[in-house]
């Protein structure tokens, strides 16, 4: 954890914002921007977690999702209808690693954990919403996350992310994906309060129903 | 036991006096320019520990000597490892970062350094802590311009990652056969006495745990008549410029490190280690204390960097 003074923080926000816009593939810049601008939203998120029984448990246990905590052998052995199996399918078919950037610039250690947890929930959300890893789908998920978390970084990605997309993709975003993100974000349970690790053996459709998460509209080119 | 260890060794006494003299010079400098938790700790250099250790041999063995790692005080044995870690992390983006941090000026400093060294083609040159080859390439270019048939340059670095970067770059430039890359510690060089005509160390000595040992080793491996040259960050004397420079290095450089190299801490360490390094006068005295003669220094860019030089006569 790194303590920043005001100048350093301002420069880091400005620099990572410019850098992330210039090169959105630099995940580390996006992460840095998220951390340096997220304090207010992280506070709200923590409060929401504290007011929820499961959320409180998560804050107490501080479960982590890393390559080590997720047993691929166990996940792949789960029945095809389970959340765990879908998660395994999503991760392996996209060749993703569960490892996420460490939180470095959030000073309060509980808020730092909330940030980490938010990041580590991202792949679970992909699994539940059925969204893949193409740029339009990631943006779609960002709209959902923005409504749920109010993190400025999500808003930035949600707003600026679509710029390089084709006209057809933008049209699809505007007509279907963004409305889904907004609606589902408002309707569904606060995802930070889902103890995903305990739901690995739950039927995925049951989970969607319980937490009111609807499948996102099918993307062009996605399966 | 305490008494006879101290009393019986006259040499030890002399060393001690020398040490205390040095400490009194250094400690004035050693206060960090920026507020840090260590401000309250007068022993930033870990030198009190050195003193006590030398004066009272009966101190319990678990009170290991401490040294500085940036503004942190850490046990001496850990510094080498920590510095190594830092350079492993930054090896690949090292040159890009140098350009960004110094706004390209480090190239001018290095050019000037090599021009001042003016190596003859027949010189046996050793570049210590020269992993990425920056100085070695410039030395080679200089020597080759005088005579295409020039001596091989030996590059020594404690960090294999940095050496790898240098070796790759040499191969890319098609000059690989002109260099020998050696992994080694500047404090205990593996070369025989009286081997080299020129010893260079650029932005490396700051990271060594025992600067005096590095200087002694430099003296040992140089031939009589050989020259020691060191390029290192130093102290800005102009108060106005030093304020701007301090603000810049403290607030901007670590942020650049994060943005360009994804690494805040390593560059924070860099800035802190610059502040901890002895200033021009103090370092010149250390060079002289190692036995070098005609010791002099030249400030570059208001003393942001300085070239130190001395001859083994």
């Amino acid at each position: 954890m790194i303590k920043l003074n005001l100048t350093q923080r301002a420069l880091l926000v400005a620099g990572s914002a410019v850098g992330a816009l210039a090169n959105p593939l630099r995940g580390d810049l996006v992460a840095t921007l998220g951390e340096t601008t997220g304090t207010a939203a992280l506070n709200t998120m923590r409060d929401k977690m504290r007011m929820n029984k499961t959320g409180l448990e998560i804050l107490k246990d501080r479960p982590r999702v890393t390559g080590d905590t997720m047993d691929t052998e166990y996940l792949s052995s789960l029945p095809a209808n389970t959340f765990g199996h879908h998660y395994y399918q999503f991760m392996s078919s996209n060749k993703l690693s569960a490892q996420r950037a460490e939180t470095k610039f959030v000073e309060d250690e509980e808020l730092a954990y909330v940030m980490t947890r938010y990041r580590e929930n991202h792949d679970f959300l992909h699994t539940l919403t059925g969204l893949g890893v193409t740029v339009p789908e990631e943006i779609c998920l960002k709209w959902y996350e923005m409504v749920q978390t109010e993190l400025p970084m999500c808003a930035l990605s949600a707003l600026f992310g679509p710029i390089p997309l084709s006209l057809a993709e933008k049209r699809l975003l505007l007509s279907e994906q963004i409305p889904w993100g907004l609606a589902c974000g408002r309707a569904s349970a606060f995802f930070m309060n889902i103890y995903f690790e305990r739901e690995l053996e739950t039927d995925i459709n049951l989970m969607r129903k319980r937490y009111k998460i609807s499948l996102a509209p099918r993307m062009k080119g996605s399966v | 036991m305490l008494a006879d260890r101290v009393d019986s060794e006259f040499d030890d006494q002399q060393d001690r006096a020398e040490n205390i003299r040095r400490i009194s010079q250094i400690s004035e400098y050693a206060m960090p320019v920026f507020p840090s938790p260590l401000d309250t700790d007068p022993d930033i250099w870990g030198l009190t520990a050195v003193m006590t250790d030398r004066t009272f041999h009966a101190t319990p063995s678990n009170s290991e000597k401490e040294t500085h790692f940036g503004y942190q005080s850490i046990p001496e044995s850990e510094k080498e490892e920590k510095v190594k870690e830092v350079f492993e992390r930054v090896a690949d983006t090292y040159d890009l970062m140098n350009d960004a941090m110094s706004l390209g000026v480090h190239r001018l400093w290095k050019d000037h350094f090599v021009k001042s060294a003016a190596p003859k083609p027949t010189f046996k040159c050793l570049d210590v802590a020269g992993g990425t080859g920056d100085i070695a390439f410039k030395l080679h270019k200089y020597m080759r311009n005088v005579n295409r048939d020039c001596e091989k340059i030996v590059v020594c670095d404690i960090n294999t990652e940095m050496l790898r970067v240098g070796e790759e770059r040499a191969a890319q430039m098609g000059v690989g056969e002109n260099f020998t890359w050696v992994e080694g510690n500047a404090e205990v060089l593996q070369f025989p006495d009286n081997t080299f005509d020129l010893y260079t160390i650029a932005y490396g000595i700051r990271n060594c745990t025992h600067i005096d040992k590095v200087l002694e080793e430099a003296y040992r491996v140089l031939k009589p008549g050989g020259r020691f040259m060191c390029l290192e960050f130093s102290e800005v004397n102009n108060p106005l410029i030093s304020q701007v420079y301090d603000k810049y290095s403290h607030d901007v450089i670590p942020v650049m490190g994060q943005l360009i190299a994804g690494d805040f801490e390593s560059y924070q360490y860099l800035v802190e280690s610059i502040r901890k390094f002895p200033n021009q006068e103090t370092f010149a005295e250390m060079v002289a204390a190692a036995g070098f003669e005609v010791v002099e220094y030249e400030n570059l860019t208001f003393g942001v960097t300085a070239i130190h030089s001395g001859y083994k006569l």
Side-chain angles (χ1 to χ4, degrees):
Chain A
M1 204 160 3
I2 297 166
K3 277 196 174 192
L4 297 172
N5 67 27
L6 215 65
T7 324
Q8 289 172 330
R9 186 169 292 269
L11 286 171
L12 203 53
V13 170
S16 53
V18 171
L21 282 177
N23 184 1
L25 293 177
R26 283 279 306 268
D28 62 316
L29 291 181
V30 177
T32 304
L33 186 58
E35 288 173 27
T36 45
T37 56
T39 316
L42 288 172
N43 260 307
T44 319
M45 287 162 77
R46 173 179 57 187
D47 292 348
K48 277 195 201 168
M49 289 175 83
R50 279 183 176 169
M51 282 187 289
N52 178 285
K53 199 173 143 254
T54 319
L56 200 61
E57 261 182 282
I58 293 171
L59 283 177
K60 214 177 71 199
D61 300 350
R62 298 203 177 171
R64 294 291 311 269
V65 184
T66 61
D68 295 332
T69 58
M70 286 290 141
D71 181 359
T72 46
E73 224 165 275
Y74 159 73
L75 289 171
S76 63
S77 72
L78 292 171
N81 67 328
T82 58
F83 172 66
H85 187 83
H86 275 83
Y87 171 72
Y88 170 75
Q89 286 283 319
F90 169 77
M91 296 300 279
S92 55
S93 66
N94 292 302
K95 298 192 178 61
L96 298 175
S97 137
Q99 211 70 40
R100 294 268 159 191
E102 285 295 318
T103 306
K104 267 162 94 175
F105 299 106
V106 179
E107 270 176 42
D108 183 285
E109 50 115 28
E110 190 169 41
L111 293 188
Y113 173 73
V114 173
M115 180 51 106
T116 305
R117 180 70 183 167
Y118 156 72
R119 279 188 195 149
E120 293 180 348
N121 276 344
H122 185 74
D123 292 324
F124 294 136
L125 292 178
H126 270 289
T127 310
L128 274 185
T129 58
L131 285 165
V133 292
T134 64
V135 177
E137 285 168 299
E138 289 287 359
I139 292 169
C140 180
L141 189 54
K142 279 288 166 242
W143 279 85
Y144 169 83
E145 289 180 359
M146 178 186 77
V147 175
Q148 286 255 315
T149 65
E150 294 165 24
L151 280 167
M153 188 56 232
C154 295
L156 279 174
S157 304
L159 290 170
F160 290 101
I163 291 174
L165 295 182
S166 73
L167 202 64
E169 284 171 322
K170 279 179 189 151
R171 199 170 286 145
L172 198 69
L173 258 180
L174 271 175
S175 63
E176 290 187 37
Q177 294 162 350
I178 293 177
W180 169 86
L182 293 173
C184 185
R186 253 172 284 154
S188 78
F190 188 43
F191 71 80
M192 294 291 291
N193 289 337
I194 305 177
Y195 214 133
F196 289 98
E197 288 86 342
R198 291 188 188 158
E199 307 275 8
L200 294 173
E201 293 176 24
T202 315
D203 179 272
I204 190 163
N205 286 319
L206 202 72
M207 247 182 108
R208 286 179 180 137
K209 216 179 212 172
R210 190 189 307 150
Y211 298 115
K212 302 194 179 64
I213 292 175
S214 55
L215 266 170
R218 275 284 164 94
M219 304 290 145
K220 214 177 174 183
S222 71
V223 195
Chain B
M1 179 214 168
L2 185 150
D4 70 59
R5 282 299 286 271
V6 174
D7 288 344
S8 66
E9 289 169 37
F10 177 66
D11 283 351
D12 192 52
Q13 293 248 356
Q14 266 193 332
D15 276 359
R16 195 145 45 92
E18 172 70 4
N19 238 352
I20 292 168
R21 192 176 61 80
R22 253 181 237 166
I23 289 155
S24 58
Q25 288 164 351
I26 290 163
S27 56
E28 266 172 60
Y29 179 84
M31 290 311 288
V33 181
F34 309 113
S36 91
L38 286 161
D39 267 357
T40 49
D41 176 10
D43 182 32
I44 313 158
W45 266 70
L47 283 171
T48 324
V50 177
M51 259 176 81
T52 14
D53 207 39
R54 286 199 74 108
T55 319
F56 308 107
H57 284 275
T59 35
S61 58
N62 62 356
S63 74
E64 198 186 347
K65 283 187 195 174
E66 296 229 315
T67 186
H68 51 91
F69 178 74
Y71 288 170
Q72 302 170 36
S73 279
I74 57 165
E76 268 194 356
S77 54
E78 279 174 28
K79 172 154 176 170
E80 208 173 288
E81 202 46 47
K82 280 220 170 193
V83 169
K84 228 174 144 173
E85 265 174 47
V86 164
F87 282 94
E88 261 162 35
R89 269 184 282 161
V90 302
D92 287 320
T93 45
Y94 185 74
D95 288 307
L96 178 64
M97 271 307 290
N98 282 343
D99 276 335
M101 290 185 298
S102 71
L103 311 170
V105 178
H106 76 104
R107 293 167 185 270
L108 305 178
W109 292 335
K110 286 171 183 163
D111 281 340
H112 185 72
F113 178 66
V114 169
K115 245 183 237 168
S116 310
K120 290 183 186 153
T122 51
F123 270 18
K124 282 193 180 307
C125 299
L126 170 66
D127 184 38
V128 176
T132 60
D134 255 19
I135 297 296
F137 297 149
K138 287 182 198 290
L139 286 172
H140 171 68
K141 205 171 152 193
Y142 189 99
M143 290 157 74
R144 202 195 47 190
N145 280 345
V146 184
N147 187 340
R148 290 199 75 79
D149 250 353
C150 56
E151 280 287 339
K152 262 187 166 190
I153 294 170
V154 181
V155 182
C156 172
D157 200 300
I158 200 164
N159 195 309
T160 37
E161 278 301 299
M162 297 294 260
L163 285 169
R164 180 186 58 77
V165 173
E167 235 176 319
E168 271 171 23
R169 282 175 58 194
Q172 270 170 20
M173 290 166 12
V175 293
E177 74 280 7
N178 296 296
F179 304 94
T180 316
W181 306 88
V182 184
E183 192 191 335
N185 185 340
E187 292 176 15
V188 266
L189 293 172
Q190 58 268 65
F191 311 105
D193 299 1
N194 309 321
T195 310
F196 298 100
D197 297 287
L198 177 67
Y199 174 111
T200 52
I201 182 164
Y203 303 116
I205 202 162
R206 192 182 72 247
N207 296 310
C208 300
T209 316
H210 307 97
I211 296 172
D212 46 350
K213 273 194 200 160
V214 175
L215 293 170
E216 276 164 29
E217 278 294 272
Y219 191 82
R220 184 181 67 75
V221 300
L222 276 171
K223 292 178 188 165
R227 189 180 188 189
F228 164 82
M229 285 198 74
C230 166
L231 184 66
E232 190 51 83
F233 293 108
S234 210
E235 192 178 61
V236 177
N237 289 314
N238 182 314
L240 195 72
I241 291 167
S242 104
Q243 259 189 0
V244 177
Y245 173 61
D246 284 349
K247 200 86 192 125
Y248 174 78
S249 45
H250 188 244
D251 287 350
V252 182
I253 286 176
V255 172
M256 274 188 191
Q258 179 63 38
L259 296 175
I260 295 172
D263 190 338
F264 192 93
E265 291 101 325
S266 294
Y267 289 92
Q268 196 171 32
Y269 159 72
L270 172 87
V271 170
E272 291 172 357
S273 70
I274 291 172
R275 289 297 175 284
K276 283 289 178 304
F277 191 72
N279 67 7
Q280 288 87 335
E281 289 295 332
T282 314
F283 186 61
E285 276 174 46
M286 292 171 84
V287 174
F292 289 103
E293 312 225 18
V294 208
V295 174
E296 51 186 18
Y297 66 82
E298 180 190 1
N299 281 338
L300 306 180
T301 318
F302 309 103
V304 169
T305 275
I307 296 176
H308 285 267
S309 148
Y311 289 88
K312 174 178 177 178
L313 295 178

